[in-house]
Amino acid sequence: MQVRFSTCLGMEVVEEPTQDVLGTLSGILINPDSGAIEGIFVTVPGFSTNAQLFCIAHDILSMGTVVSVRTSETLCDPMEIIRLEPILTGHRPVLGQHIVSESGERMGTCRDIQFETESMQLQWLFPKKWWRWLAAIPAHSIVEVTSDVITVRDRILPVEESSTDVSTALEKLQEPLRPS
């Protein structure tokens, strides 16, 4: 199932066997090189403060009206997962990042994404400029994600075929210009 992140934000995260609420989905971690959803951030209410914990993608069992995870033990401090450290400290976010085409055209700021819940792969970027949503950009057109910008391939517009016959066009070119 494909899901927009904005619709998941604030969803309850529950433990599969007991359906106990563990917290709410508060963020997502996207690998900027592969487009893989590495996992989700979960805000867990505490006595005096809320804890920001992390659940890796393969411990997420389902996403629907709630996010079901294997057990409460799958939630941890994201810095405890060594392979995520370069992504967490690399400062190359996808959400909130400016999007620019290879030719330099500004295409807005990525304000939402769509991802596949089975494969946990990024599918679409949804840019916004000021208050307007712009055309969605497929994830396969991403060239590079840096700390400053997401670079995407230039859009190739279809060429309209002319209904004019080639010989007719040549005849018009050979006609002398008439003064107006």
Side-chain angles (χ1 to χ4, degrees), residues 76-113:
C76 66
D77 180 348
M79 293 308 278
E80 290 179 8
I81 305 170
I82 295 169
R83 71 177 179 82
L84 296 181
E85 188 177 353
I87 299 169
L88 291 166
T89 60
H91 304 294
R92 295 189 307 149
V94 173
L95 284 168
Q97 190 73 281
H98 295 289
I99 303 171
V100 175
S101 71
E102 288 177 309
S103 63
E105 177 189 355
R106 293 182 180 170
M107 303 179 84
T109 303
C110 182
R111 293 291 180 208
D112 201 1
I113 61 158

Side-chain angles (χ1 to χ4, degrees), residues 48-69:
S48 61
T49 60
N50 293 336
Q52 184 82 359
L53 299 178
F54 188 77
C55 179
I56 57 177
H58 77 263
D59 285 328
I60 299 170
L61 301 176
S62 67
M63 294 182 85
T65 56
V66 296
V67 179
S68 296
V69 298

Side-chain angles (χ1 to χ4, degrees), residues 24-42:
T24 57
L25 191 148
S26 57
I28 192 165
L29 183 63
I30 304 165
N31 185 322
D33 296 321
S34 66
I37 307 301
E38 296 291 344
I40 59 171
F41 292 96
V42 180

